[in-house]
Amino acid sequence: MYLSHPVRRMRDDPLDDEVAELRVEPADDDARAALETRVESLGGSLERELRFGGVVVSIAESAVSDLCELDGIERIETVDTLGY
C-alpha cells in the first residue's frame, strides 16, 4: 500500500482533535465494502465517491493508523495534496 508522506506523519504522530480528509483507493469491491465498515467503526464518514474507484473519507487523525492496517487498500493520500 502506498501512503503519502503526510499520511505517514498522521499515522505515526497524530494531532489531537484534528480531522483528516483522505483519498483512499480500495483494490476492489470487497475492499471498498470493508473500507466503509472500518471508517464507520472508527467514527469517520465517507464523504464522496471519486472517479476510478477512489473514495474521500473524513476521519480523526488518531484513527489513521487503524485505517492503514486495512487489507485491500492500494493507496491513501490527503485530499489537499491532490487538489480535489
Side-chain angles (χ1 to χ4, degrees):
M1 168 190 337
Y2 170 78
L3 300 175
S4 69
H5 292 290
V7 172
R8 281 185 250 156
R9 283 192 294 271
M10 285 180 221
R11 177 194 63 192
D12 297 339
D13 190 20
L15 296 175
D16 292 334
D17 301 324
E18 289 293 323
V19 175
E21 275 200 318
L22 304 173
R23 181 194 179 277
V24 182
E25 188 176 325
D28 54 33
D29 289 340
D30 290 337
R32 166 64 177 79
L35 171 65
E36 185 171 351
T37 300
R38 175 69 61 95
V39 168
E40 289 175 0
S41 74
L42 295 171
S45 61
L46 274 71
E47 300 297 327
R48 63 186 179 275
E49 299 283 334
L50 300 171
R51 292 181 66 188
F52 310 115
V55 179
V56 173
V57 302
S58 180
I59 192 166
E61 279 194 24
S62 60
V64 170
S65 64
D66 292 325
L67 180 64
C68 291
E69 294 176 6
L70 184 62
D71 291 331
I73 302 300
E74 292 184 353
R75 61 190 313 120
I76 304 176
E77 301 170 290
T78 59
V79 170
D80 290 338
T81 301
L82 297 175
Y84 286 104

